[in-house]
Amino acid sequence: APIKKPPHVARVFKNIFVVALNKTKLNIEVFELTTGNRVFSRQGLQAGTPIILNELSTGTYIVKITSNDGKIVQQYKMLKM
């Protein structure tokens, strides 16, 4: 099922709203691009759960959203300014 994210997220990077059309539980991981270090991880999120990422430093991150069976639902690059 496709994931929708607000268009302003790439600029603001304060919230990511996980919205899955099939209402499946999802897992989210955020990695710092230059080091590859995982800086945020949550498992078993319900569709529509807000994800607050205010504590992240300025930089570029990879956001990976997977289903409980490990399949990648979506992966994208995000910039926090």
Side-chain angles (χ1 to χ4, degrees), residues 27 30 41 53 63:
N27 307 310
V30 180
S41 177
L53 299 171
V63 178

Side-chain angles (χ1 to χ4, degrees), residues 2-38:
I3 299 293
K4 296 180 182 179
K5 62 183 187 308
H8 67 280
V9 171
R11 291 190 306 269
V12 178
F13 201 67
K14 289 187 178 179
N15 300 304
I16 295 173
F17 293 91
V18 177
V19 181
L21 297 179
N22 63 0
K23 308 292 188 208
T24 198
K25 289 190 177 183
L26 299 172
N27 307 310
I28 184 169
E29 293 178 292
V30 180
F31 299 90
E32 205 281 326
L33 183 64
T34 57
T35 65
N37 291 334
R38 184 172 58 192

Side-chain angles (χ1 to χ4, degrees), residues 54-70:
N54 294 334
E55 71 278 0
L56 294 181
S57 302
T58 299
T60 305
Y61 298 87
I62 298 294
V63 178
K64 184 168 88 171
I65 300 172
T66 57
S67 58
N68 279 340
D69 61 2

